[in-house]
Amino acid sequence: MGVSPGLTAPGTETERWVAAQVGGALEAVFAEVAATRADTTALLARVSAQGRPAVSADLAALRPALHQRLSEEELVSGAGFVAAPGLLADVPAWLEWWQCGTEGVVRPLLLDLDPGRSAYSDYTHWDWFALPRRTGRRAVAGPYVDYLCSDEYSLTLSEPVYVRGEFAGVAAADVYLRHFEAAVLPLLRRLARPAHLVNARGRVAASADPAHLAGSLTRGPDFGGLLLGQDRIGAHGSLRLVPCRGVPLVLVLA
């Protein structure tokens, strides 16, 4: 069964309001991601104008702004730029990634990305990298246990970075799931029907419905297709589907 758009059943106004509030909470994080994307694009363009390939040391220029964003945005636990393999002349892969510890200290993520030794050397299959590269759009990946950065159950928000029309990597930010749930569960509990939030793949990002736990999959609907029409309310069987306008999440009501 496909998604049927355009429903006008009772409760739509409240459901749209909740979806908009959820979108607003994540939009603040996406604003930080967009700022990192803009900084990275400008930096790589300057390097290219010098007639040389970028190297990992060039990305150090991103650090002051990344540190500031980590200290200012409450939901963001990690932020940075992840280079496409082959972008940098001196290393095969690179994460210019910084994170905020429990004590509030901003520190770098230090990974061994040697393909001969490291299980983390190929990060291109992770949704936070693969989805923006494939679609050219922003993405919400997870929740998943972030073994790469924090060992925390997390969401990663990301956007593609392009230089002269070529994919250069992704700008991204991490949000601990516990922080996201604290922000959105009070909203979901205001609804008359059990509700949860899913990303474009149907992965549950937060839930006030005991039948759909965070991290599980909601199968059936084409959530990615519904997100292309951000203003519509749809249905799939008994489920009501409300896109969170502006961000790639769908409010699902049982």
Side-chain angles (χ1 to χ4, degrees):
M1 181 183 297
V3 173
S4 302
L7 294 183
T8 57
T12 296
E13 183 176 347
T14 300
E15 292 161 8
R16 283 193 184 279
W17 180 85
V18 168
Q21 295 299 306
V22 170
L26 281 190
E27 195 59 58
V29 179
F30 269 121
E32 304 299 332
V33 174
T36 300
R37 181 196 64 206
D39 290 349
T40 307
T41 300
L43 171 63
L44 294 176
R46 289 195 300 271
V47 171
S48 179
Q50 296 171 11
R52 65 176 179 86
V55 295
S56 57
D58 291 320
L59 300 180
L62 300 174
R63 294 173 186 174
L66 289 173
H67 293 183
Q68 183 176 1
R69 287 171 198 137
L70 281 167
S71 65
E72 292 179 350
E73 177 50 54
E74 291 183 357
L75 280 179
V76 176
S77 59
F81 168 69
V82 183
L87 174 73
L88 304 175
D90 60 329
V91 289
W94 188 261
L95 288 86
E96 185 60 46
W97 196 263
W98 292 77
Q99 48 199 11
C100 191
T102 54
E103 69 286 357
V105 176
V106 175
R107 61 180 185 271
L109 174 67
L110 301 175
L111 291 175
D112 180 2
L113 294 176
D114 186 325
R117 297 192 304 263
S118 174
Y120 303 121
S121 61
D122 182 13
Y123 43 70
T124 61
H125 63 283
W126 291 80
D127 276 355
W128 48 260
F129 191 94
L131 286 173
R133 180 180 58 181
R134 178 172 61 82
T135 66
R137 299 165 63 91
R138 53 170 54 175
V140 175
Y144 62 100
V145 179
D146 188 2
Y147 294 114
L148 193 66
C149 298
S150 64
D151 291 333
E152 284 260 5
Y153 216 32
S154 301
L155 301 172
T156 301
L157 285 62
S158 57
E159 295 187 359
V161 174
Y162 295 95
V163 177
R164 296 186 176 182
E166 296 293 326
F167 177 75
V170 301
D174 282 342
V175 175
Y176 291 152
L177 183 65
R178 52 190 168 89
H179 294 162
F180 180 63
E181 287 182 324
V184 303
L185 284 179
L187 296 168
L188 300 184
R189 290 172 179 146
R190 296 179 64 146
L191 296 165
R193 300 169 64 174
H196 59 284
L197 295 160
V198 302
N199 64 15
R201 292 195 185 276
R203 184 75 60 188
V204 178
S207 179
D209 181 352
H212 296 86
L213 301 180
S216 64
L217 283 172
T218 298
R219 302 185 182 278
D222 178 10
F223 295 110
L226 181 62
L227 285 166
L228 293 177
Q230 290 277 334
D231 292 327
R232 300 183 303 168
I233 289 181
H236 181 85
S238 62
L239 300 179
R240 284 175 57 75
L241 312 173
V242 187
C244 298
R245 186 175 184 181
V247 302
L249 288 178
V250 176
L251 174 64
V252 181
L253 298 104

